[in-house]
Amino acid sequence: MSDINRVNQFLLDVLNAKKSYSISSKQVYSMLIRNDVDPKDIGLDASVNGNFDRWCQEFGRYNGKNIDVFVDPSWSYFCQFKNRHKEVMEKDDQVKVYIPLDGAHLTHGVEQIFDFLEKNNIAHLSKVGKHIRFDDVVVRLGSLEDAEKLSQFINGNRYIQEGLVKPNPFAVTKDGIAFASDRDISYNSTVASFVNMYVDDVRKKNDFSTFGAEGFRNFIKNYYNEVIINPSNYNRLASD
């Protein structure tokens, strides 16, 4: 199924859900990040089966050289991976790489990804979440050049390619992974908010003649022109 068809299907899923339930952008976000995840992987907790401890111990042998792996008790949903992360945060052209690994390939796939980053001393600020979703492995890099290096590695790694979940159809994708640039906001949360607003708008107007990917694209364009870059409508940002 093409990305356009996947977008159309997801919009339809949200529309049908809203016909039965009162759901908000938070519920749309939950639907989005689990889109096309194998049902057997839904709910799988990567921290309970020992992955977080394993990764901390595995990369701890580097003694802080080119990588630091830890779980912050105040943000325990993620296992964090960092190397010269301040360099990344200072960049204006940060690139977020989403590497969606399934449950069977998560343990060793993560090890191979961050072993590559460590050996090449690539600056990054990254995290791996507890649950299988299309953003369970996120690598934030400081440049397109580093993103291309990582992309080439993943494209040439048969094991990782075998374990990839379908990436976010709303993002730029290449070789089974997704890319975004969002700095201080969440790209996926923003997409979910726009999907929620779009479906609500279509239902309110009761006009489904252009419902789908193209209608969604036009809705975002109009919203950008009418609200985001229009100071007189800034008050709508808090309510939408």
Side-chain angles (χ1 to χ4, degrees), residues 97 99 101 108-120 122 139 145-161 164 174-175 177 179:
V97 183
I99 309 168
L101 288 172
H108 299 303
V110 164
E111 291 171 353
Q112 292 178 40
I113 290 166
F114 291 103
D115 185 64
F116 167 80
L117 293 171
E118 189 279 332
K119 287 182 176 177
N120 289 272
I122 294 175
V139 180
E145 180 182 4
D146 285 342
E148 181 61 27
K149 290 178 183 177
L150 179 58
S151 177
Q152 289 178 1
F153 166 74
I154 292 171
N155 186 45
N157 187 303
R158 182 179 299 179
Y159 182 84
I160 293 176
Q161 285 294 317
L164 290 176
K174 178 183 178 183
D175 301 326
I177 58 179
F179 301 83

Side-chain angles (χ1 to χ4, degrees), residues 2 38 57 90 95 107-108 114 124 138 156 160 164-165 169 175 187 197 205-207 229 234 236:
S2 69
D38 192 313
Q57 294 174 9
E90 291 171 354
V95 181
T107 301
H108 299 303
F114 291 103
H124 65 93
V138 182
I160 293 176
L164 290 176
V165 177
D175 301 326
Y187 178 79
M197 288 190 292
K205 295 177 179 178
N206 197 30
D207 181 6
I229 63 172
Y234 277 178
R236 284 180 54 187

